[in-house]
Amino acid sequence: MTARDALRQRIEGELAQPGTPGAAALVERLRDRYGAALRGVLFYGSCLRRTDDHDGVLDLYVLVENYRSVYGPRPQALLNRLLPPNVFALEAQSGGRPVRAKYAVLAWRDLARLTSTRTFEPYFWARFSQPCALIYAADAQVRSAVAAALTTAVLTSVELGIPLVEPRFDSRALWTTLWRSTYRAELRPERPGVVETLWTSGAPRYEAVTGLALAALDHPTAVGPAGELVCTVALSPTARRRARALWRIRRVHGKSLFLFRILRNALIFEGGVDYVLWKIHRHSGVEVDRTWRQQRYPLLALGAQAWRLYRAGAFR
């Protein structure tokens, strides 16, 4: 078995983990809403890490056959294809209580491209390199494609993260540096210490996938004095400078696309922008003015609100 095969086998085990009762209730709502167009549902994020759906909003990726099968000829299909994903809010009842989710819509065949090095923006491969559960799959073809794409996401993240760290590094340095860099490529209102929390909540998992990914990428590893995985990658100074320059471009590029997604949601979707504003307040503590929709020019009001929040340090 090759290192890539072993990595995929581990990802398949993660995908097979059970969801929560609330997540199962949300899947039933999605099946009612999308019918045969629904191909898979991925559960990821903090609620999955805590195996808890009582507090917070679940993060789901809804994989569909194609965008026309979901939206028909409406503009949403074109927007979802040009700037994925479209984001919606969803609520279901589980055990006599409401459970809420934010779900993103993505054509399942796009997953392979978006998690590979062909996709410049880290929005997708950084997310899908973290543990996910495939809580619904229409068939074995979808399950296999998702496992392959998430394996690629780990390889992409490790490959593009290596130039950000010192030539000799361990798994912790690699992932925490990568996460900080990917957060800087989005308008993310993350609490201080969230990167360290991500690492400590899944350190053995990241140690394991890092070793397999480095072996698949033909980078030899060793065991450090504290038992940690250590790797030395000798990139030329020119290659390292070029790679880090690309990350600076990713920062501007990613923030711009993230802003376009927010404005797109403000134009055509209810709930998406409100969720972002709620998350900004929850993570930063900065008060959000929710009256922007009632202004004469709501998009201008939203832009002014975003600038005020940025100046207040709600996101970077």
Side-chain angles (χ1 to χ4, degrees):
M1 179 185 292
T2 66
R4 188 183 183 109
D5 291 338
L7 177 59
R8 174 166 173 158
Q9 188 176 77
R10 184 179 182 94
I11 297 298
E12 287 173 343
E14 293 176 356
L15 289 171
Q17 64 184 303
T20 63
L26 290 164
V27 166
E28 291 307 308
R29 286 291 314 279
L30 291 165
R31 294 183 72 178
D32 290 341
R33 179 171 294 186
Y34 295 123
L38 183 66
R39 303 292 289 158
V41 180
L42 279 163
F43 179 19
Y44 72 104
S46 58
C47 290
L48 175 63
R49 289 193 296 271
R50 299 195 308 266
T51 64
D52 173 36
D53 56 30
H54 286 77
D55 180 36
V57 177
L58 277 66
D59 292 301
L60 304 177
Y61 254 85
V62 172
L63 306 177
V64 298
E65 181 62 32
N66 55 62
Y67 300 123
R68 287 183 66 87
S69 69
V70 172
Y71 306 112
R74 290 180 294 171
Q76 287 93 325
L78 178 62
L79 290 168
N80 208 150
R81 187 171 74 249
L82 292 178
L83 186 61
N86 288 354
V87 179
F88 301 92
L90 183 68
E91 183 174 319
Q93 292 291 318
S94 174
R97 60 178 178 80
V99 57
R100 298 176 179 85
K102 167 189 64 95
Y103 73 90
V105 176
L106 191 67
W108 71 280
R109 290 184 180 87
D110 288 347
L111 201 56
R113 171 179 56 83
L114 293 169
T115 53
S116 74
T117 53
R118 290 179 290 162
T119 297
F120 186 70
E121 184 190 14
Y123 185 95
F124 291 98
W125 41 263
R127 276 169 174 75
F128 290 128
S129 65
Q130 299 179 35
C132 299
L134 186 60
I135 55 177
Y136 172 75
D139 52 40
Q141 184 184 17
V142 171
R143 190 173 295 278
S144 176
V146 170
L150 269 59
T151 301
T152 299
V154 173
L155 293 168
T156 300
S157 296
V158 170
E159 181 178 354
L160 297 181
I162 285 172
L164 296 172
V165 294
E166 296 299 319
R168 181 177 172 85
F169 60 89
D170 59 18
S171 302
R172 181 175 190 147
L174 176 65
W175 286 100
T176 55
T177 302
L178 177 71
W179 290 328
R180 290 189 183 97
S181 298
T182 56
Y183 288 166
R184 293 188 189 110
E186 297 182 12
L187 300 176
R188 293 186 65 98
E190 295 297 342
R191 296 188 185 100
V194 67
V195 165
E196 292 301 323
T197 300
L198 269 177
W199 170 258
T200 55
S201 67
R205 183 264 183 184
Y206 289 108
E207 281 275 323
V209 299
T210 303
L212 293 171
L214 289 170
L217 295 168
D218 292 326
H219 296 308
T221 59
V223 177
E228 75 280 13
L229 185 74
V230 176
C231 182
T232 300
V233 178
L235 294 177
S236 70
T238 300
R240 195 174 294 276
R241 283 195 301 270
R242 184 184 299 117
R244 292 182 177 183
L246 288 175
W247 270 101
R248 289 192 290 272
I249 297 171
R250 278 191 185 92
R251 187 181 305 178
V252 177
H253 176 259
K255 285 182 183 293
S256 300
L257 292 183
F258 205 90
L259 181 59
F260 284 136
R261 289 184 178 104
I262 292 175
L263 293 175
R264 183 265 315 277
N265 288 345
L267 280 170
I268 60 177
F269 303 122
E270 287 293 331
V273 175
D274 293 321
Y275 169 79
V276 172
L277 294 176
W278 168 82
K279 191 169 183 180
I280 287 173
H281 173 65
R282 183 184 181 207
H283 285 248
S284 69
V286 178
E287 288 296 330
V288 175
D289 181 2
R290 301 183 182 278
T291 65
W292 65 273
R293 288 188 189 276
Q294 284 73 53
Q295 303 300 315
R296 184 175 181 181
Y297 302 105
L299 278 183
L300 291 177
L302 177 60
Q305 174 74 186
W307 177 248
R308 185 186 69 81
L309 292 169
Y310 178 80
R311 292 290 300 274
F315 57 84
R316 295 297 178 197

